[in-house]
Amino acid sequence: MALTVQPADGAAVRRAERLSRVRGLLLGLALGDALTRPDQPGSGVLLGTPTTQLACFTAEGLIRALVRSDHRGIGPSPLAIWFAYRRWARAQGIPIPRSIDHSGWLHRVPALRERRGDAPSVVAALKAGRDIAPDPAAPTSGGHHALSPRLPLAAVAAPAGWTAEVVTTTHGDPDAVRATLTAVDLARAALGAPTMPAVLRASTDPVLDDARDLGMPLARLAPDHTAVSALRGGAALAARCPGPEVIADTLYAARELPVPGAVGPLAGALLGAVHGAERLPVELVARLEVAWAVDTLARDLVAQVEDRPGGSEYQQAPDRHWWSRYPGG
């Protein structure tokens, strides 16, 4: 008797594809950050920088903001991400005013408590901050840490004003804010686009005009540590990757640029979002120091958006551990 194969459920297929791409976004960010670190050893564990650490706390803060929204009946607050950065500071041993209590699980990951470099503008904002986010007009930095740590925001349909509020807690330079908004929009487009050129074509920001020119030297697109360099160089580098089989080579090539650490995270995030986690180089992802934490956050972010494991104001939580992992209070 012949067996009848049932067609795949369309919703399940879309869910699996979405999960693959969000995982690719976060893991690609971490991979791009690690492979462009100039002092990275040739073998062994791949260490990240504060870019990856802060991106992890952005994702965690975003999940907690969504949990709080489900239970309080109000929109997700950008302050949840500011408090996440304060938890990062405490885990790092950075003295900040009115230290915040540890909660959730992310602060317990040993690699996220280790100093992996500097994020001076973020640290300065945290040291000067209050229990709530500082005056958005106060921080004026335009460095690339305005951009890369905020890329997890692409996984949700957040308005530009919401994202801008997150950015201006630590970086108030208008060009940096605009570059970050464009980068998040690019990453969001990459989660549904078939190719990187299609992602670039979808953007109307004129700051990317030169990045679309494949003949433009990358060093001219990304000459410094600014968020604008990170946007132009990261987008152009990702667009020049001919296929997923050379993602590693593409990211390694960024080491020749003046500021590889500004360019690598966005390029890796875009390539991971377009191709999915399964197309990232397994032999390198497996060496990432924070791979488990990053992948867990990506999976949990999709679960929160799709399934609401923590329940809501009117529904009991399907996952009894969710609230302790992502307190929304």
Side-chain angles (χ1 to χ4, degrees):
M1 184 177 65
L3 296 177
T4 301
V5 178
Q6 296 296 323
D9 178 76
V13 171
R14 290 189 294 273
R15 166 68 179 269
E17 179 69 11
R18 176 75 175 174
L19 177 60
S20 173
R21 288 183 177 233
V22 172
R23 291 176 60 221
L25 171 73
L26 270 66
L27 287 169
L29 184 159
L31 189 63
D33 184 36
L35 294 187
T36 52
R37 181 171 173 147
D39 59 348
Q40 195 67 259
S43 61
V45 175
L46 292 173
L47 304 179
T49 75
T51 294
T52 297
Q53 293 180 334
L54 287 165
C56 286
F57 279 89
T58 298
E60 188 247 16
L62 179 57
I63 295 171
R64 289 171 69 149
L66 294 170
V67 170
R68 185 177 188 274
S69 177
D70 286 342
H71 285 267
R72 300 294 177 87
I74 56 177
S77 170
L79 285 179
I81 297 174
W82 171 247
F83 288 132
Y85 296 155
R86 296 183 72 221
R87 287 191 295 275
W88 169 78
R90 179 174 178 185
Q92 291 274 304
I94 298 169
I96 58 175
R98 290 176 288 280
S99 181
I100 192 168
D101 290 338
H102 279 320
S103 60
W105 65 275
L106 194 61
H107 67 91
R108 298 169 59 192
V109 177
L112 298 179
R113 298 200 298 264
E114 297 290 336
R115 294 291 181 91
R116 296 297 183 223
D118 298 318
S121 295
V122 176
V123 172
L126 287 163
K127 285 184 174 181
R130 305 182 295 274
D131 285 334
I132 61 173
D135 180 355
T140 58
S141 172
H144 69 90
H145 282 120
L147 187 151
S148 299
R150 274 58 185 239
L151 293 175
L153 301 180
V156 301
W162 198 94
T163 303
E165 284 189 62
V166 174
V167 179
T168 53
T169 59
T170 58
H171 293 73
D173 179 79
D175 289 337
V177 175
R178 174 182 166 185
T180 302
L181 294 178
T182 298
V184 171
D185 283 344
L186 281 179
R188 189 173 290 126
L191 290 170
T195 65
M196 261 311 301
V199 174
L200 274 183
R201 286 195 299 269
S203 175
T204 59
D205 192 332
V207 77
L208 290 173
D209 287 347
D210 287 342
R212 297 184 184 93
D213 180 359
L214 297 183
M216 179 68 69
L218 285 171
R220 287 181 57 186
L221 293 171
D224 52 40
H225 290 273
T226 63
V228 174
S229 280
L231 170 63
R232 287 154 54 96
L237 181 63
R240 296 178 191 196
C241 179
E245 65 280 355
V246 291
I247 287 176
D249 293 337
T250 299
L251 296 176
Y252 275 128
R255 290 188 176 188
E256 305 301 319
L257 299 177
V259 283
V263 172
L266 176 59
L270 291 173
L271 290 170
V274 165
H275 297 294
E278 293 77 12
R279 305 301 297 276
L280 293 173
V282 173
E283 66 279 5
L284 294 175
V285 172
R287 290 171 53 197
L288 284 173
E289 180 185 36
V290 292
W292 176 82
V294 171
D295 200 34
T296 298
L297 286 165
R299 293 176 182 275
D300 287 354
L301 181 52
V302 172
Q304 173 59 39
V305 172
E306 299 280 346
D307 304 324
R308 291 180 168 80
S312 69
E313 187 178 5
Y314 304 106
Q315 179 185 2
Q316 187 175 2
D319 185 340
R320 63 187 178 91
H321 301 292
W322 200 257
W323 186 269
S324 64
R325 298 179 68 226
Y326 299 106

